[in-house]
Short mmCIF file of all heavy atoms in Angstrom, two decimals:
data_model
loop_
_atom_site.label_atom_id
_atom_site.label_comp_id
_atom_site.label_asym_id
_atom_site.label_seq_id
_atom_site.Cartn_x
_atom_site.Cartn_y
_atom_site.Cartn_z
N LYS A 182 14.52 170.87 166.76
CA LYS A 182 13.67 169.80 167.29
C LYS A 182 13.11 169.01 166.11
O LYS A 182 12.80 169.56 165.06
CB LYS A 182 12.52 170.40 168.10
CG LYS A 182 11.57 169.36 168.71
CD LYS A 182 10.51 170.00 169.56
CE LYS A 182 9.51 168.97 170.07
NZ LYS A 182 10.14 167.89 170.85
N LYS A 183 12.99 167.70 166.29
CA LYS A 183 12.47 166.86 165.22
C LYS A 183 11.01 167.21 164.93
O LYS A 183 10.19 167.22 165.85
CB LYS A 183 12.59 165.38 165.58
CG LYS A 183 14.03 164.88 165.62
CD LYS A 183 14.09 163.39 165.94
CE LYS A 183 15.53 162.89 165.88
NZ LYS A 183 15.64 161.45 166.20
N PRO A 184 10.68 167.48 163.67
CA PRO A 184 9.29 167.86 163.34
C PRO A 184 8.39 166.64 163.26
O PRO A 184 8.84 165.50 163.13
CB PRO A 184 9.44 168.52 161.97
CG PRO A 184 10.61 167.80 161.36
CD PRO A 184 11.55 167.51 162.49
N GLN A 185 7.09 166.87 163.34
CA GLN A 185 6.10 165.82 163.10
C GLN A 185 5.81 165.78 161.61
O GLN A 185 5.59 166.82 160.98
CB GLN A 185 4.82 166.11 163.89
CG GLN A 185 5.03 166.16 165.40
CD GLN A 185 5.37 164.80 165.99
OE1 GLN A 185 4.51 163.92 166.09
NE2 GLN A 185 6.61 164.60 166.39
N ILE A 186 5.81 164.60 161.03
CA ILE A 186 5.64 164.48 159.58
C ILE A 186 4.44 163.58 159.25
O ILE A 186 3.93 162.86 160.10
CB ILE A 186 6.90 163.94 158.89
CG1 ILE A 186 7.18 162.49 159.35
CG2 ILE A 186 8.10 164.82 159.16
CD1 ILE A 186 8.30 161.83 158.56
N ASP A 187 4.03 163.65 157.99
CA ASP A 187 2.97 162.79 157.48
C ASP A 187 3.35 162.44 156.04
O ASP A 187 4.15 163.13 155.40
CB ASP A 187 1.62 163.51 157.52
CG ASP A 187 0.45 162.53 157.46
OD1 ASP A 187 0.70 161.32 157.30
OD2 ASP A 187 -0.70 162.99 157.58
N PHE A 188 2.79 161.36 155.53
CA PHE A 188 3.09 160.99 154.15
C PHE A 188 1.84 160.50 153.44
O PHE A 188 0.86 160.09 154.07
CB PHE A 188 4.20 159.93 154.06
CG PHE A 188 3.80 158.55 154.52
CD1 PHE A 188 3.11 157.68 153.68
CD2 PHE A 188 4.12 158.11 155.80
CE1 PHE A 188 2.75 156.41 154.11
CE2 PHE A 188 3.76 156.85 156.24
CZ PHE A 188 3.06 156.00 155.39
N ARG A 189 1.87 160.58 152.11
CA ARG A 189 0.81 160.07 151.26
C ARG A 189 1.33 158.83 150.52
O ARG A 189 2.52 158.69 150.30
CB ARG A 189 0.37 161.13 150.25
CG ARG A 189 -0.21 162.39 150.89
CD ARG A 189 -0.57 163.41 149.84
NE ARG A 189 0.64 163.93 149.19
CZ ARG A 189 1.23 165.06 149.53
NH1 ARG A 189 0.73 165.80 150.50
NH2 ARG A 189 2.31 165.46 148.91
N CYS A 190 0.40 157.96 150.12
CA CYS A 190 0.80 156.69 149.50
C CYS A 190 -0.13 156.34 148.33
O CYS A 190 -1.34 156.54 148.42
CB CYS A 190 0.77 155.57 150.55
SG CYS A 190 1.27 153.97 149.92
N GLY A 191 0.47 155.85 147.25
CA GLY A 191 -0.29 155.37 146.10
C GLY A 191 0.09 153.94 145.78
O GLY A 191 1.27 153.58 145.82
N VAL A 192 -0.91 153.09 145.48
CA VAL A 192 -0.67 151.68 145.19
C VAL A 192 -1.40 151.31 143.90
O VAL A 192 -2.57 151.67 143.71
CB VAL A 192 -1.18 150.76 146.33
CG1 VAL A 192 -0.87 149.30 146.01
CG2 VAL A 192 -0.56 151.17 147.66
N ASN A 193 -0.69 150.60 143.03
CA ASN A 193 -1.30 150.13 141.78
C ASN A 193 -0.75 148.76 141.43
O ASN A 193 0.39 148.44 141.76
CB ASN A 193 -1.01 151.11 140.63
CG ASN A 193 -1.74 150.73 139.36
OD1 ASN A 193 -2.84 150.20 139.40
ND2 ASN A 193 -1.13 151.00 138.22
N SER A 194 -1.57 147.94 140.77
CA SER A 194 -1.18 146.59 140.39
C SER A 194 -1.36 146.41 138.89
O SER A 194 -2.32 146.92 138.30
CB SER A 194 -2.03 145.56 141.14
OG SER A 194 -1.95 145.74 142.53
N GLY A 195 -0.43 145.66 138.27
CA GLY A 195 -0.52 145.40 136.84
C GLY A 195 0.78 144.89 136.29
O GLY A 195 1.73 144.59 137.04
N ASN A 196 0.86 144.79 134.97
CA ASN A 196 2.05 144.28 134.31
C ASN A 196 3.13 145.35 134.20
O ASN A 196 2.83 146.52 133.93
CB ASN A 196 1.71 143.77 132.91
CG ASN A 196 0.94 142.46 132.95
OD1 ASN A 196 1.22 141.60 133.79
ND2 ASN A 196 -0.02 142.30 132.06
N VAL A 197 4.38 144.93 134.41
CA VAL A 197 5.53 145.82 134.29
C VAL A 197 6.67 145.05 133.63
O VAL A 197 6.62 143.83 133.50
CB VAL A 197 6.01 146.34 135.67
CG1 VAL A 197 4.95 147.14 136.37
CG2 VAL A 197 6.47 145.17 136.54
N ILE A 198 7.68 145.78 133.23
CA ILE A 198 8.95 145.17 132.84
C ILE A 198 9.87 145.28 134.04
O ILE A 198 10.10 146.37 134.55
CB ILE A 198 9.58 145.88 131.63
CG1 ILE A 198 8.66 145.76 130.41
CG2 ILE A 198 10.95 145.27 131.31
CD1 ILE A 198 8.43 144.35 129.94
N VAL A 199 10.36 144.14 134.53
CA VAL A 199 11.22 144.14 135.71
C VAL A 199 12.56 143.51 135.37
O VAL A 199 12.62 142.51 134.65
CB VAL A 199 10.54 143.38 136.88
CG1 VAL A 199 10.16 141.96 136.47
CG2 VAL A 199 11.43 143.34 138.11
N GLY A 200 13.64 144.12 135.86
CA GLY A 200 14.97 143.60 135.59
C GLY A 200 16.02 144.66 135.84
O GLY A 200 15.74 145.72 136.42
N ASN A 201 17.23 144.39 135.39
CA ASN A 201 18.32 145.34 135.53
C ASN A 201 18.22 146.39 134.43
O ASN A 201 18.30 146.08 133.24
CB ASN A 201 19.67 144.63 135.43
CG ASN A 201 20.05 143.99 136.75
OD1 ASN A 201 19.66 144.47 137.80
ND2 ASN A 201 20.80 142.91 136.69
N MET A 202 18.03 147.64 134.83
CA MET A 202 17.89 148.74 133.88
C MET A 202 19.03 149.73 134.11
O MET A 202 19.39 150.02 135.25
CB MET A 202 16.55 149.47 134.06
CG MET A 202 15.34 148.54 134.15
SD MET A 202 14.95 147.74 132.60
CE MET A 202 13.51 146.79 133.11
N GLY A 203 19.57 150.26 133.03
CA GLY A 203 20.61 151.26 133.16
C GLY A 203 21.65 151.11 132.07
O GLY A 203 21.38 150.58 130.98
N SER A 204 22.86 151.55 132.36
CA SER A 204 23.95 151.45 131.41
C SER A 204 24.78 150.21 131.69
O SER A 204 24.53 149.47 132.65
CB SER A 204 24.84 152.70 131.51
OG SER A 204 25.50 152.72 132.76
N GLU A 205 25.80 149.96 130.87
CA GLU A 205 26.65 148.80 131.07
C GLU A 205 27.43 148.90 132.36
O GLU A 205 27.77 147.88 132.98
CB GLU A 205 27.62 148.65 129.88
CG GLU A 205 26.92 148.30 128.57
CD GLU A 205 27.91 148.12 127.45
OE1 GLU A 205 29.12 148.30 127.70
OE2 GLU A 205 27.48 147.80 126.32
N ASN A 206 27.75 150.11 132.78
CA ASN A 206 28.59 150.30 133.97
C ASN A 206 27.80 150.52 135.24
O ASN A 206 28.29 150.28 136.33
CB ASN A 206 29.54 151.49 133.75
CG ASN A 206 30.48 151.27 132.59
OD1 ASN A 206 30.98 150.17 132.38
ND2 ASN A 206 30.71 152.33 131.81
N ARG A 207 26.57 150.96 135.11
CA ARG A 207 25.76 151.23 136.30
C ARG A 207 24.30 150.93 136.00
O ARG A 207 23.75 151.45 135.03
CB ARG A 207 25.92 152.68 136.77
CG ARG A 207 25.12 152.98 138.03
CD ARG A 207 25.42 154.36 138.56
NE ARG A 207 24.61 154.68 139.72
CZ ARG A 207 24.86 154.27 140.96
NH1 ARG A 207 25.92 153.52 141.18
NH2 ARG A 207 24.08 154.60 141.96
N PHE A 208 23.69 150.07 136.81
CA PHE A 208 22.29 149.73 136.59
C PHE A 208 21.62 149.42 137.91
O PHE A 208 22.28 149.20 138.93
CB PHE A 208 22.16 148.54 135.63
CG PHE A 208 22.98 147.35 136.01
CD1 PHE A 208 22.53 146.45 136.96
CD2 PHE A 208 24.21 147.13 135.42
CE1 PHE A 208 23.28 145.35 137.31
CE2 PHE A 208 24.98 146.02 135.77
CZ PHE A 208 24.51 145.14 136.71
N ASP A 209 20.30 149.42 137.90
CA ASP A 209 19.50 149.11 139.09
C ASP A 209 18.48 148.05 138.73
O ASP A 209 18.00 147.98 137.60
CB ASP A 209 18.77 150.36 139.60
CG ASP A 209 19.71 151.37 140.22
OD1 ASP A 209 20.60 150.96 140.98
OD2 ASP A 209 19.56 152.57 139.94
N TYR A 210 18.12 147.25 139.74
CA TYR A 210 17.03 146.31 139.58
C TYR A 210 15.74 147.07 139.86
O TYR A 210 15.52 147.52 140.99
CB TYR A 210 17.19 145.13 140.55
CG TYR A 210 16.17 144.04 140.34
CD1 TYR A 210 16.31 143.14 139.30
CD2 TYR A 210 15.06 143.93 141.16
CE1 TYR A 210 15.38 142.14 139.09
CE2 TYR A 210 14.13 142.94 140.97
CZ TYR A 210 14.29 142.05 139.93
OH TYR A 210 13.36 141.06 139.73
N THR A 211 14.92 147.25 138.85
CA THR A 211 13.77 148.13 138.99
C THR A 211 12.63 147.66 138.10
O THR A 211 12.76 146.66 137.38
CB THR A 211 14.16 149.59 138.65
OG1 THR A 211 13.07 150.45 138.94
CG2 THR A 211 14.54 149.72 137.19
N VAL A 212 11.51 148.38 138.16
CA VAL A 212 10.35 148.08 137.32
C VAL A 212 10.02 149.32 136.48
O VAL A 212 10.23 150.45 136.91
CB VAL A 212 9.12 147.68 138.16
CG1 VAL A 212 9.35 146.33 138.81
CG2 VAL A 212 8.81 148.73 139.23
N MET A 213 9.50 149.07 135.29
CA MET A 213 9.12 150.16 134.40
C MET A 213 7.81 149.83 133.73
O MET A 213 7.48 148.66 133.52
CB MET A 213 10.21 150.39 133.34
CG MET A 213 11.56 150.80 133.88
SD MET A 213 12.78 151.03 132.58
CE MET A 213 12.10 152.47 131.76
N GLY A 214 7.04 150.86 133.41
CA GLY A 214 5.79 150.65 132.69
C GLY A 214 4.69 151.57 133.16
O GLY A 214 4.86 152.36 134.12
N ASP A 215 3.56 151.50 132.51
CA ASP A 215 2.43 152.36 132.82
C ASP A 215 1.89 152.12 134.22
O ASP A 215 1.38 153.04 134.87
CB ASP A 215 1.32 152.12 131.79
CG ASP A 215 0.22 153.17 131.87
OD1 ASP A 215 0.54 154.37 131.80
OD2 ASP A 215 -0.94 152.79 132.02
N THR A 216 2.02 150.88 134.71
CA THR A 216 1.58 150.56 136.07
C THR A 216 2.33 151.40 137.10
O THR A 216 1.75 151.87 138.08
CB THR A 216 1.80 149.06 136.35
OG1 THR A 216 0.97 148.30 135.46
CG2 THR A 216 1.46 148.71 137.78
N VAL A 217 3.62 151.58 136.87
CA VAL A 217 4.46 152.38 137.78
C VAL A 217 4.02 153.84 137.75
O VAL A 217 3.88 154.49 138.79
CB VAL A 217 5.94 152.23 137.39
CG1 VAL A 217 6.83 153.03 138.36
CG2 VAL A 217 6.36 150.77 137.38
N ASN A 218 3.80 154.35 136.54
CA ASN A 218 3.41 155.75 136.41
C ASN A 218 2.09 156.04 137.12
O ASN A 218 1.93 157.07 137.78
CB ASN A 218 3.29 156.12 134.92
CG ASN A 218 4.60 155.98 134.19
OD1 ASN A 218 5.68 156.10 134.79
ND2 ASN A 218 4.53 155.70 132.90
#
């Protein structure tokens, strides 16, 4: 039977580095920085 679930959420705003991150063959559009952490 499908269980009942709950989730927690964290939100923060600030400067980040945003762009394509990864290797030459595989990368993602993402953000990095202390704001994310």
